[in-house]
Amino acid sequence: MQQTDLPEAEYRHVYEFNIRFGDIDSQGHVNNVKFLGYLEDARLEMFHGDPVRKGEKPVRGMVVSRHEIDYRLPLLPTVYPIRVETWVTEARAASFKLAYEVRDDDNVYAEATSTMVAFDPETNRLRRFTAAEREFVGRYLAPGA
């Protein structure tokens, strides 16, 4: 997969959202489980929503094989958007790693990684990425990755 020389703002996918009332737990902050939902929403926009809006074919046939998340600060109810920034840190023939930051302009609330694998739903088996998938993933590959 081709590595980019672009600055951070160019290779990171940015998904903005507002915290919903139902995201808040009895401790008065966003429940830890909701963070995984935010990551899922960001991935769906990255691989499906954004390509469709750009007139491109959405990327399908990828599944999560692993998640890791580190909570850095409590995410409190707010009226301004929070964002998930997502980029690729490692790309292989049949898998790649996504890194995420759940953040606003001043704080990082959580850092996470997901390992994504190419999957064929017809055969129910892992597969290698197609050339088009490698090109798409390469758009988000961090310099030095």
Side-chain angles (χ1 to χ4, degrees):
M1 295 187 197
Q2 187 176 3
Q3 182 176 327
T4 179
D5 294 334
L6 298 172
E8 187 174 283
E10 298 293 321
Y11 67 82
R12 287 188 179 199
H13 178 269
V14 176
Y15 168 70
E16 288 191 339
F17 65 95
N18 291 305
I19 296 170
R20 297 179 307 204
F21 177 78
D23 295 349
I24 307 303
D25 65 14
S26 62
Q27 303 299 315
H29 55 72
V30 172
N31 185 278
N32 65 321
V33 173
K34 294 296 183 179
F35 280 83
L36 290 173
Y38 299 156
L39 303 183
E40 178 183 35
D41 291 345
R43 280 192 315 279
L44 286 171
E45 281 298 304
M46 183 177 183
F47 294 110
H48 184 79
D50 286 356
V52 167
R53 281 189 286 282
K54 293 177 183 175
E56 298 175 351
K57 192 174 181 177
V59 179
R60 300 182 189 268
M62 293 185 212
V63 295
V64 174
S65 66
R66 179 179 177 85
H67 280 307
E68 290 184 43
I69 189 164
D70 293 308
Y71 301 97
R72 301 295 181 205
L73 291 170
L75 182 50
L76 304 173
T78 181
V79 295
Y80 56 86
I82 300 297
R83 65 183 181 270
V84 178
E85 295 185 11
T86 309
W87 65 100
V88 176
T89 60
E90 180 182 316
R92 296 176 182 245
S95 69
F96 63 92
K97 288 189 179 180
L98 289 175
Y100 313 82
E101 288 181 347
V102 179
R103 61 173 305 128
D104 59 23
D105 289 341
D106 300 319
N107 299 294
V108 174
Y109 299 99
E111 295 173 306
T113 60
S114 296
T115 301
M116 307 294 295
V117 295
F119 186 76
D120 183 345
E122 291 181 20
T123 63
N124 205 31
R125 294 178 180 246
L126 299 181
R127 62 175 177 80
R128 293 186 176 275
F129 290 117
T130 66
E133 290 167 338
R134 283 192 303 276
E135 185 277 326
F136 185 87
V137 169
R139 296 178 193 178
Y140 299 101
L141 189 61

